[in-house]
């Protein structure tokens, strides 16, 4: 939950932003125009050397643009003192960039100290931030960076970037140097943080899967930071603007699309269930009246326990102890469809039980439901993309009309 | 008269000489450190300036100390001035070189991070770069001090202060009863002082190098 004092995001507008290095004919970043809404996560993704990092560093003017304007929250920051600008813009980089000679608390407290907070306020803020990024303050406050794992360092790096509560957060491949499992955790953490903080985050990565997972919108950049497509992950997956984008999306766009939808968003079928306390006879009856071949046995807390088939019951002979197949795998309602598909594919009967927060049974997802939902999703995406394109075209024709009319009027005068 | 008797009768004079020796080296080291680090800070960002500073200071080091003091006498006279000037000049090289190497060795990503979170150039230097370059600079200071301990003995040639007087007196009266004792007392005194200074630097390192970067 956002507390009253925390600053939420600000808009970022880039207008004709250009960076030209002396001695090279082609600009490194060529005329970038972009509007980033307050509170959204925008991902810059593209091959190495495409200028995505340069573009990011121009937002806090670590690299001075040679042309164009930058506006943050409506204020033109292209010519203000860069030191002042950077204190309002959080910055997190690959392998955290923590200062090794300072403790975790000193690292996090740097920016607040520079802008003149009292030491008691800084101490309280450090505790709050360590809590926020999931590190126990008592344990970690006094540690030095080298006493932390890569993932922990990265968390401290994010905490430092957030220290003075900036409206904007720039992240330059922050999770590039940690192992895949830790990276996955950190990504989840960032999503959780953003739910609480609603900052405007610009995030650079070359990993398209990371972009899909984190981004509200993704800007796919090609060389000289030309924007190949700037849209939602869904739109980019289902309707890539050109060959460059589809090449970058890579094979398996439909599979990646599954990551964007949760089990709770699709239809969950209800299955006949019985509990372990039911007498055998009533289980028989239940199975008979359900008309299915199979029934799900729940344990005393309502959690999926065993799949029972007709044949199993015949052989049970009065005891359920050895009858049926144990439930190996379940998915929660928050799992992605991809996780669900994985579970369904590995299950020998092609279905998986869905559980609620405490592991209690809520329904079943099977192959058929999954296929139907995926088709529906893709169709919907396609429709939306077409409408979107249509709108764009309409807007374009209107503009041309208006220009032509304007031109005629001027000519008439 | 054996060596211990000599120490017994002369300890007053020896302690005074030792104190003056240590004091001269210490004060020259403070000045050399300030100037050396300053030269390092000013030049490390540019390739040629840094190299020029290192070359210039190492050229000074190639001048024999006796010649240096001899050359300074007609300019600044006898006594303390030529001693202080030559000691400071000799002390510069290791400090300048290590300051430049240390400052250049700071991970550029950290400097980038420091800029990125809004540190001004001065703050970057004082809070990030110098603390990180401090261990090599301190090593430079240690090396300089050891070197100056020996060179300071030559200062007696220009009637400077210190244990060198003891050595020169002994050399001047070779063959006399106390000649060997004098040379021995001066030399051993310098060795003891050098060890004491080194111990002090170890302690200083413990106190000033952050636990986060201590080896």
């Amino acid at each position: 939950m956002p507390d009253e004092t925390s600053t939420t995001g600000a808009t970022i507008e880039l207008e004709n932003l250009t960076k030209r290095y002396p001695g090279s004919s082609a600009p490194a970043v060529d005329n970038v125009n972009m509007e980033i809404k307050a509170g959204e996560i925008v991902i810059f993704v593209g091959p190495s050397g495409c200028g995505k990092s340069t573009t990011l560093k121009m937002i806090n003017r670590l690299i001075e643009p040679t042309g164009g304007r930058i506006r943050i929250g409506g204020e033109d920051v292209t010519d203000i003192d860069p030191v002042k600008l950077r204190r309002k813009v959080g910055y997190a980089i690959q392998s955290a960039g923590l200062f090794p000679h300072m403790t975790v608390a000193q690292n996090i407290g740097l920016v607040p100290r520079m802008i003149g907070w009292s030491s008691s306020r800084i101490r309280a803020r450090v505790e709050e931030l360590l809590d926020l990024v999931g590190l126990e303050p008592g344990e970690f406050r006094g540690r030095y960076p080298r006493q932390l794992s890569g993932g922990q360092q990265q968390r401290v790096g994010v905490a430092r970037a957030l220290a003075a509560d900036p409206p904007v957060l720039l992240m330059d491949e922050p999770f590039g140097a940690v192992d895949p499992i830790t990276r996955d955790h950190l990504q989840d953490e960032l999503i959780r943080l953003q739910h609480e903080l609603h900052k405007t985050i610009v995030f650079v990565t070359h990993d398209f899967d990371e972009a899909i997972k984190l981004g509200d919108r993704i800007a796919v950049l090609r060389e000289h930071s030309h924007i190949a497509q700037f849209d939602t992950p869904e739109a980019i997956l289902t309707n890539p603007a050109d060959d460059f984008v589809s090449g970058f999306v890579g094979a398996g766009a439909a599979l990646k699309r599954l990551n964007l939808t949760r089990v709770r968003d699709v239809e969950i079928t209800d299955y006949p269930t019985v509990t372990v306390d039911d007498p055998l006879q009533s289980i028989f009856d239940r199975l008979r009246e359900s008309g299915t071949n199979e029934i799900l046995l729940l344990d005393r807390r309502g959690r999926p326990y065993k799949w029972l088939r007709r044949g199993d019951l015949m052989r049970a002979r009065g005891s359920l102890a050895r009858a049926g197949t144990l439930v190996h795998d379940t998915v929660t309602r928050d799992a992605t469809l991809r996780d669900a598909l994985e579970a369904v594919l590995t299950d020998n009967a092609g279905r998986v039980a869905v559980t609620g927060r405490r592991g209690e049974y809520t329904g079943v997802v099977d192959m058929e439901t999954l296929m139907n939902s995926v088709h529906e999703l893709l169709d919907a995406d396609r429709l939306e993309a077409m409408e979107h394109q249509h709108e764009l075209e309409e807007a374009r024709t209107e503009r041309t009309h208006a220009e032509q009319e304007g031109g005629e009027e001027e000519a008439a005068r | 008269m054996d060596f211990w008797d000599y120490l017994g009768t002369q300890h007053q004079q020896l302690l005074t000489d030792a104190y003056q020796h240590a004091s001269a080296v210490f004060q020259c080291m403070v000045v050399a450190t300030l100037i050396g680090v300053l030269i390092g800070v000013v030049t490390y960002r540019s390739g040629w300036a840094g190299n020029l500073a290192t070359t210039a200071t190492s050229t000074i080091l190639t001048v024999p100390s006796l010649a240096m003091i001899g050359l300074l006498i007609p300019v600044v006279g006898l006594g303390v001035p030529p001693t202080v000037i030559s000691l400071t000049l000799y002390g510069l090289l290791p400090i300048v070189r290590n300051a430049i190497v240390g400052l250049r060795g700071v991970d550029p990503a950290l400097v980038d991070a420091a800029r990125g979170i809004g540190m001004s150039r001065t703050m970057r230097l004082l809070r990030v770069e110098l603390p990180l370059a401090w261990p090599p600079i301190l090593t430079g200071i240690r090396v300089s001090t050891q070197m100056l301990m020996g060179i300071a003995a030559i200062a007696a040639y220009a009637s400077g202060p210190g244990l060198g007087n003891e050595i020169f007196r002994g050399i001047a009266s070779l063959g006399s009863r106390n000649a060997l004792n004098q040379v021995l007392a001066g030399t051993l005194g310098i060795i003891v002082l050098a060890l004491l200074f080194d111990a002090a630097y170890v302690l200083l390192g413990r106190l000033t190098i952050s636990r986060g970067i201590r080896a």
Side-chain angles (χ1 to χ4, degrees):
Chain A
M1 64 248 95
D3 68 40
E4 297 78 32
T5 55
S6 101
T7 325
T8 51
T11 55
I12 304 174
E13 291 157 77
L14 309 181
E15 192 186 303
N16 301 327
L17 201 62
T18 302
K19 177 67 189 178
R20 205 179 278 279
Y21 285 106
S24 80
S25 54
V29 172
D30 185 20
N31 235 357
V32 173
N33 284 289
M34 190 179 273
E35 257 189 71
I36 296 167
K37 290 181 218 140
E40 82 175 333
I41 303 188
V42 164
I43 316 277
F44 290 176
V45 66
S48 17
C50 72
K52 53 188 190 297
S53 208
T54 311
T55 311
L56 182 87
K57 284 179 180 173
M58 280 198 282
I59 298 177
N60 67 356
R61 288 173 52 216
L62 275 178
I63 294 175
E64 285 290 347
T66 38
R69 316 299 301 173
I70 308 150
R71 270 185 285 277
I72 294 181
E75 185 199 359
D76 193 324
V77 296
T78 327
D79 297 314
I80 71 167
D81 177 13
V83 170
K84 224 175 269 170
L85 163 67
R86 287 175 202 142
R87 289 178 190 175
K88 290 194 294 184
V89 178
Y91 184 56
I93 59 172
Q94 185 166 5
S95 43
L98 299 180
F99 302 124
H101 59 298
M102 299 182 191
T103 61
V104 165
Q106 287 168 333
N107 265 291
I108 299 176
L110 262 178
V111 184
R113 184 162 300 128
M114 286 190 290
I115 55 178
W117 288 18
S118 70
S119 56
S120 60
R121 187 173 169 204
I122 295 174
R123 208 172 314 123
R125 179 66 177 157
V126 168
E127 306 256 310
E128 185 190 345
L129 283 166
L130 281 175
D131 259 340
L132 189 69
V133 297
L135 296 174
E136 165 59 39
E139 193 186 341
F140 288 96
R141 196 176 15 202
R143 288 210 196 172
Y144 285 95
R146 68 170 175 190
Q147 297 166 312
L148 304 177
S149 71
Q152 290 165 343
Q153 290 188 15
Q154 209 56 65
R155 283 159 200 257
V156 177
V158 172
R160 184 176 68 181
L162 288 170
D165 203 19
V168 172
L169 196 57
L170 305 180
M171 308 184 87
D172 193 355
E173 297 203 33
F175 309 147
V178 291
D179 63 89
I181 295 171
T182 312
R183 186 183 317 158
D184 216 47
H185 277 297
L186 290 170
Q187 290 165 348
D188 292 338
E189 291 273 296
L190 184 66
I191 294 173
R192 180 182 62 78
L193 271 181
Q194 176 65 355
H195 273 303
E196 293 181 24
L197 300 175
H198 306 285
K199 303 286 181 193
T200 307
I201 300 179
V202 187
F203 189 110
V204 164
T205 181
H206 56 253
D207 178 357
F208 192 72
D209 291 321
E210 186 168 65
I212 294 177
K213 183 167 175 187
L214 296 176
D216 292 320
R217 285 195 293 165
I218 300 175
V220 184
L221 304 177
R222 48 155 55 110
E223 59 279 17
H224 312 309
S225 217
H226 283 154
I227 300 173
Q229 191 169 6
F230 184 31
D231 214 330
T232 60
E234 288 86 351
I236 290 179
L237 282 175
T238 42
N239 201 30
D242 55 23
D243 287 348
F244 176 80
V245 177
S246 51
F248 209 81
V249 169
L255 270 180
K256 285 175 184 169
R257 179 67 183 81
L258 292 183
N259 275 330
L260 297 172
T261 309
R262 308 271 156 184
V263 171
R264 77 174 99 81
D265 301 328
V266 303
E267 186 193 339
I268 299 173
T269 38
D270 213 9
Y271 234 64
T273 59
V274 288
T275 68
V276 281
D277 289 334
D278 290 339
L280 210 51
Q281 191 52 50
S282 73
I283 296 180
F284 265 117
D285 294 344
R286 189 92 174 76
L287 192 53
R288 201 170 305 126
E289 54 189 70
S290 72
T292 54
N293 205 6
E294 208 174 26
I295 195 165
L296 183 63
L297 182 65
L298 307 178
D299 68 7
R300 289 197 178 85
R301 286 154 142 202
R303 296 176 301 195
Y305 176 47
K306 272 179 179 177
W307 297 102
L308 294 175
R309 292 173 187 230
R310 274 170 206 273
D312 294 334
L313 287 177
M314 299 299 177
R315 269 173 264 127
R317 297 188 190 182
S319 156
L320 286 173
R322 265 172 295 164
T325 10
L326 281 173
V327 174
H328 283 298
D329 210 0
T330 59
V331 293
T332 63
R333 288 164 51 79
D334 286 328
T336 62
L337 283 195
R338 193 182 177 122
D339 295 335
L341 180 67
E342 175 83 25
V344 166
L345 285 176
T346 46
D347 186 274
N348 48 17
R351 73 305 195 231
V352 64
V354 180
T355 56
R357 196 173 300 153
R358 285 176 304 280
E360 78 281 10
Y361 164 84
T362 55
V364 167
V365 166
D366 58 18
M367 202 61 187
E368 208 186 323
T369 346
L370 272 182
M371 276 183 38
N372 289 340
S373 351
V374 170
H375 282 149
E376 276 169 27
L377 280 174
L378 291 180
D379 281 343
D381 285 351
R382 225 167 273 140
L383 210 66
E384 205 173 300
M386 267 161 58
E387 268 173 25
H388 187 64
Q389 231 165 8
H390 191 66
E391 273 169 28
L392 276 182
E393 266 165 35
E394 262 182 11
R396 209 171 294 144
T397 30
E398 259 174 44
R399 209 181 309 142
T400 352
H401 275 301
E403 274 166 18
Q404 278 171 350
E405 276 166 25
E408 278 162 20
E409 271 168 31
E410 261 170 42
R413 254 183 251 154
Chain B
M1 197 189 261
D2 73 4
F3 183 59
W4 298 112
D5 292 335
Y6 176 78
L7 285 189
T9 54
Q10 296 291 316
H11 71 273
Q12 201 64 47
Q13 176 66 39
L14 281 171
L15 282 179
T16 312
D17 279 342
Y19 170 74
Q20 286 182 346
H21 198 97
S23 157
V25 169
F26 177 74
Q27 292 179 42
C28 292
M29 276 313 300
V30 171
V31 178
T33 303
L34 291 178
I35 297 176
V37 172
L38 195 69
I39 293 177
V41 164
V42 171
T43 57
Y44 81 101
R45 276 176 223 263
S46 119
W48 65 267
N51 294 343
L52 181 72
T54 319
T55 319
T57 47
S58 55
T59 313
I60 295 175
L61 206 61
T62 58
V63 180
S65 43
L66 204 56
M68 165 86 84
I69 291 174
L71 286 171
L72 282 171
I73 292 173
V75 186
V76 295
L78 288 172
V80 175
T83 312
V84 170
I85 293 174
S86 54
L87 286 190
T88 307
L89 285 177
Y90 282 122
L92 279 180
L93 169 72
I95 299 175
V96 169
R97 194 185 45 205
N98 281 25
I100 292 175
V101 169
L103 286 168
R104 284 186 181 166
V106 174
D107 185 352
L110 288 182
V111 182
D112 214 39
R115 289 178 65 209
I117 65 171
M119 286 182 154
S120 65
R121 185 155 168 176
T122 329
M123 207 180 283
R124 241 154 40 220
L125 192 69
L126 294 180
R127 301 291 307 274
V128 177
E129 293 176 280
L130 278 177
L132 288 176
W134 179 237
I137 294 176
L138 191 61
T139 308
I141 295 175
R142 270 174 86 170
V143 172
S144 270
T145 310
Q146 303 298 316
M147 203 171 67
L148 291 202
M149 277 294 165
I151 294 176
I154 313 289
Y157 172 75
S159 326
L163 287 164
N165 287 310
E166 203 69 21
I167 300 172
F168 273 100
R169 269 203 295 275
I171 293 172
S173 59
L174 271 185
S176 76
R177 234 168 18 131
N178 272 330
L180 187 63
N181 284 337
Q182 284 174 326
V183 174
L184 217 54
T187 314
L188 288 176
I190 289 173
I191 292 173
V192 170
L193 277 187
L195 290 175
L196 286 178
F197 264 85
D198 218 41
Y201 283 130
V202 172
L203 193 67
L204 186 68
R206 280 250 158 242
L207 294 176
T208 55
I209 297 175
S210 154
R211 263 197 308 132
I213 50 173
R214 212 179 287 156

